[in-house]
C-alpha cells in the first residue's frame, strides 16, 4: 500500500497553469508523435509540465540514452525544464528511468502515486497501472520487475540482449491485444482507487495507462480524469489536460502536431 503524505509535487509560486500528458510511447517508429511532443515542450506556456508515465515505448537503461532518437528528446526536456519544472513519473514501459536520465534531462522524478495541491484543490497523480487489479497477469509481472534485484540483474545484461528482451515483451503485448475490444482492458479498481484517495485526502485522481481518455464523476465522491495516449503516426490522437484556477480543459493537438500554447 502506498504511503501518502510523503511525496508531493511542488507547484511554482504564482503558477497559473499546469499541463498533464502521458503515454506518448516515444520511439524511432513514431517520428510525427515525437515532433508533436517536442513542439509541446518548446511552446507550452504552462508553469508546470507533468508527464505521468510511458514517455518512452521502452527504456532499457540510462546507458542507452545516446541511441536515436533519445538525444534529441533529452535535449528538448533539458531546455524545457530550464524554463519551468518538468516532472516525470515512471510508467509500465519506462520504469527503468534512472538517476542519470533525470540529471541529463533536468526533469523532476515523481513517485507513483504522489499528491499535487493547487488552485484550492488536492489531486492524486498516478500512472494508473498499479490500480488495474483485474489484469492479474500484468500485476504478477509488475511485482517481479519492480524488485531491485530483478532490475539490477536486467541492467547487468549486455545492451543488445536487453533490447531483444524489450522487443520480445512488446511483441507479446501486441499479440495479446490483437482483436481485443478496448472495453475489455483492465481499468483502475474503484475500491482501491477510493482507498488511495482517502489516504491522500484528495478528491481528484489523474492517471494514464488505459488509453481511454475522459472524465468520470464517481458515486464514491471523487472525480477521475484519464489522460489520452499520443499517436500521430498511425492515428490522429494526442491531447493535453490543462488545469487552471478556472478548472480543467482538454486540448487536442492540431492535425499538424504543432502546439501553439
Amino acid at each position: 500500500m502506498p504511503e501518502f503524505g510523503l511525496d508531493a509535487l511542488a507547484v511554482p509560486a504564482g503558477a497559473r497553469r499546469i499541463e498533464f500528458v502521458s503515454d506518448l510511447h516515444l520511439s524511432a517508429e513514431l517520428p510525427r508523435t515525437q515532433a508533436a511532443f517536442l513542439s509541446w515542450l518548446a511552446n507550452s506556456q504552462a508553469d508546470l509540465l507533468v508527464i505521468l508515465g510511458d514517455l518512452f515505448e521502452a527504456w532499457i537503461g540510462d546507458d542507452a540514452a545516446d541511441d536515436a532518437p533519445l538525444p534529441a528528446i533529452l535535449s528538448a526536456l533539458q531546455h524545457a525544464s530550464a524554463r519551468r519544472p518538468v516532472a516525470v513519473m515512471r510508467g509500465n514501459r519506462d520504469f527503468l528511468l534512472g538517476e542519470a536520465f533525470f540529471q541529463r534531462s533536468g526533469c523532476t522524478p515523481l513517485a507513483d502515486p504522489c499528491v499535487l495541491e493547487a488552485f484550492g484543490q488536492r489531486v492524486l497523480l498516478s500512472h494508473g497501472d498499479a490500480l488495474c487489479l483485474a489484469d492479474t497477469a500484468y500485476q504478477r509481472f509488475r511485482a517481479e520487475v519492480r524488485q531491485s534485484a530483478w532490475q539490477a540483474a536486467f541492467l547487468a545484461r549486455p545492451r543488445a540482449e536487453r533490447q531483444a528482451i524489450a522487443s520480445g515483451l512488446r511483441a507479446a503485448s501486441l499479440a495479446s491485444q490483437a482483436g481485443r475490444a478496448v472495453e475489455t482492458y483492465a481499468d483502475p479498481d474503484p475500491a482501491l482507487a477510493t482507498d488511495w484517495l482517502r489516504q491522500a485526502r484528495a478528491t481528484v485522481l489523474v492517471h494514464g495507462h488505459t488509453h481511454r481518455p475522459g472524465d468520470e464523476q464517481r458515486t464514491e465522491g471523487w472525480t477521475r480524469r484519464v489522460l489520452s495516449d499520443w499517436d500521430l503516426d498511425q492515428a490522429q490522437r494526442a491531447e493535453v489536460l490543462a488545469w487552471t484556477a478556472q478548472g480543467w480543459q482538454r486540448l487536442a493537438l492540431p492535425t499538424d502536431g504543432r502546439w501553439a500554447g
Side-chain angles (χ1 to χ4, degrees):
M1 183 70 65
E3 293 185 11
F4 298 101
L6 300 178
D7 295 290
L9 174 58
V11 177
R16 295 183 296 177
R17 182 183 181 90
I18 302 170
E19 290 180 354
F20 304 84
V21 299
S22 73
D23 298 278
L24 293 101
H25 296 273
L26 299 180
S27 70
E29 289 72 36
L30 298 177
R32 293 184 63 189
T33 305
Q34 176 183 323
F37 174 68
L38 298 184
S39 177
W40 175 65
L41 285 180
N43 298 303
S44 171
Q45 299 302 305
D47 303 293
L48 172 63
L49 304 182
V50 183
I51 302 170
L52 290 183
D54 284 2
L55 171 58
F56 300 102
E57 173 62 15
W59 190 267
I60 62 170
D62 288 357
D63 60 336
D66 288 322
D67 295 347
L70 300 180
I73 297 171
L74 292 171
S75 177
L77 286 168
Q78 185 180 53
H79 282 91
S81 61
R83 293 168 46 208
R84 98 293 265 161
V86 179
V88 176
M89 182 178 286
R90 298 171 179 87
N92 57 292
R93 298 284 183 185
D94 51 14
F95 60 89
L96 287 172
L97 289 172
E99 183 179 347
F101 163 80
F102 289 101
Q103 289 181 344
R104 182 165 171 179
S105 67
C107 295
T108 301
L110 284 184
D112 186 0
C114 73
V115 171
L116 173 62
E117 194 165 1
F119 313 122
Q121 195 169 30
R122 193 170 170 89
V123 173
L124 185 64
L125 308 178
S126 177
H127 178 57
D129 59 319
L131 288 163
C132 295
L133 300 183
D135 193 347
T136 54
Y138 169 71
Q139 292 301 330
R140 288 193 296 270
F141 172 77
R142 187 182 192 280
E144 179 183 6
V145 302
R146 296 302 178 105
Q147 295 179 18
S148 57
W150 185 95
Q151 294 185 9
F154 179 81
L155 292 172
R157 296 171 181 263
R159 280 173 54 184
E161 185 177 345
R162 282 180 271 148
Q163 186 60 64
I165 293 172
S167 298
L169 290 172
R170 177 56 176 158
S173 175
L174 290 173
S176 69
Q177 296 172 18
R180 186 177 169 192
V182 172
E183 291 77 11
T184 65
Y185 292 172
D187 213 31
D189 181 81
L192 180 58
T194 299
D195 188 44
W196 279 24
L197 284 153
R198 178 188 59 78
Q199 293 185 63
R201 295 179 288 108
T203 57
V204 177
L205 171 65
V206 179
H207 72 83
H209 182 63
T210 65
H211 297 196
R212 282 180 283 182
D215 303 305
E216 180 186 18
Q217 188 66 46
R218 296 289 308 178
T219 58
E220 297 89 347
W222 51 271
T223 302
R224 182 168 73 125
R225 302 192 184 278
V226 187
L227 301 175
S228 168
D229 60 316
W230 284 33
D231 184 352
L232 293 173
D233 291 85
Q234 301 170 1
Q236 287 297 320
R237 185 171 62 251
E239 186 180 85
V240 173
L241 180 64
W243 186 23
T244 68
Q246 286 70 47
W248 299 81
Q249 184 180 15
R250 293 181 179 274
L251 304 170
L253 266 75
T255 54
D256 62 4
R258 295 181 181 178
W259 183 251

